[in-house]
Amino acid sequence: MNPSPAFTGPAVEVRHLNVSLGGRKILRDISLAIPPGELVALIGPNGAGKTTLLRSLLGLIPIESGEVRLLGQPQLRQVISRIGYVPQRLALDTGLPLSVREFLALRQPGTRNWFWRRRGDLDAALPPIVQELGVTPLLDKTVSTLSGGQLQRTLIAFSLLNDPAILFLDEPTEGVDAPGERTFYEVISDIHRRHRLTVILVSHDLSMVHRHASWVVALNGRICCAGAPDDIIREDALKEAYGLHVTSYHHHHGHTH
Amino acid sequence: MGILTEPFMQRALIGALILAPLCALLGVFVTARRMAFFSDTVAHASLAGTAVSFLVGLSEPTPGMLVVSLLVAASIVWLREKSGLYHDTIMALLLTGSVALGTVILSRLRGFRGEIHRVLFGDILAVGMTELVLAALLLGLVILGAAWLLSPLSLIAANEDLAHVAGIPVRWFNYGFVVVLTVTVTITIRLVGILLVGALLVIPPAAARLLSRNLRQEIWTAIALGAFSGTAGVGLSYVGDLPCGPSIVLLSITLFFVALVTSRFTGPNSARARASQP
């Protein structure tokens, strides 16, 4: 899980990006460059376009104008094998009784023929990250029966199976309780540190962002400000992004109110 | 054992043995992707296809049924992408339009009024060599496709965004699935009829879902239930002198209720299964 050795430019580069949905302008003239190896948090109020920005970077929604480059490539399909993605509030279809083992096999390189293989063979092919994330005891469970925290760990393991250089996470702690949220940020921070991959996540939790992110982008239809957490998570900067008075996000005891 | 020596029964049994498990396999994904109404719509388009076949002087309705059903399937996809209307609105429009057009044409053609009943409810005598060859080709295609494409198909059914970011050409997969589903539905109509073909797509996977702890189990169980209800239904219709399609569907529904009761005691959601969860 290392950035491409051949490429030393920005992991993500966006130039003058404009996106409209249903005739409404969501993103205006977004330009940013994210160096490889950063843990970047996209913050902003509801409707600020955080998820829209993430989805347009991944080619999940069409862009109106502008340019997006991931690992220097303008075409997503050229780098798609180096991208990991954890979607927002994933609605894994409960009509399909996928076990966690089967779900992971859908992405795991070399297990395309999972239907015909024995469970032991599939388990042996899983990388250590599955064990490290505590997903191994869940392998026999049906994905639709997992708790919020279990599903989140499974999705993170799924997103790391292809050894990505960039990991995108869209509001990954939604539906997860406060202790689970803390654990999540510690896990992501640890993965980011050990594997030196670029992480881009959408978050509402300014306290956790302040503690774990190395770079913060404050968004409100356009980029209000971007920089180190200490510079961005300040009252005046947030006021511009959120449009209201925001205080009390620096906590000494590890939780938000 | 007239059931095994009569040529029309041999064709019907082979047809059921191919088409019912095929429908069950596709039905696993049809039910997961909530496409039951879609398959119903392309099935009803076959009435217009039958009418058009006879109108242009064809002796066999299957080619016209295939063409019109595929046109209707393409229209659903095209209108959904271009008009912004909801899927079910588009499908209701095309379903009723196809039935109306087919009924009007058949009512104006001399000697073909009886065809409406045959197309709606199926006819054991309607399974000819054309249908068997098409069914066998389709079975080969689906087995090959399932062997290679089961993973992407399953991931698309689970979540299209994840499939897209995994590099799967989601749109092309969806088009391919629609074509295979439409052809399967159209050929199966000859056996069980427009009104009942949806049952073969929905009931075996629904029963299998109740009994399965994972996707592999669901696929095998649905195929087994489809094969049993298809062949046993054909046999039942011969022995009891009953209509073929309804016999197959009633047997499927019986199996579904057996699965429902069984699942209360041994299924993945039974009290015993919940108690054994860590």
Side-chain angles (χ1 to χ4, degrees), chain B residues 158-218:
Chain B
N159 186 284
E160 287 200 359
D161 287 353
L162 275 182
H164 174 87
V165 178
I168 296 165
V170 174
R171 178 183 274 204
W172 290 108
F173 264 86
N174 286 342
Y175 291 161
F177 185 74
V178 161
V179 169
V180 171
L181 177 62
T182 302
V183 175
T184 305
V185 164
T186 308
I187 298 170
T188 310
I189 282 170
R190 305 292 283 159
L191 187 68
V192 296
I194 286 171
L195 294 181
L196 299 175
V197 67
L200 288 192
L201 286 163
V202 171
I203 299 172
R209 178 75 176 89
L210 292 170
L211 302 171
S212 307
R213 289 180 167 79
N214 56 52
L215 181 58
R216 178 160 36 190
Q217 274 181 13
E218 187 188 11

Side-chain angles (χ1 to χ4, degrees), chain A residues 132-145:
Chain A
E132 289 166 30
L133 286 167
V135 176
T136 309
L138 308 174
L139 290 174
D140 283 317
K141 285 190 143 199
T142 311
V143 173
S144 56
T145 63

Side-chain angles (χ1 to χ4, degrees), chain B residues 56-68:
Chain B
V56 298
L58 296 176
S59 58
E60 274 289 312
T62 305
M65 289 165 72
L66 280 171
V67 169
V68 174

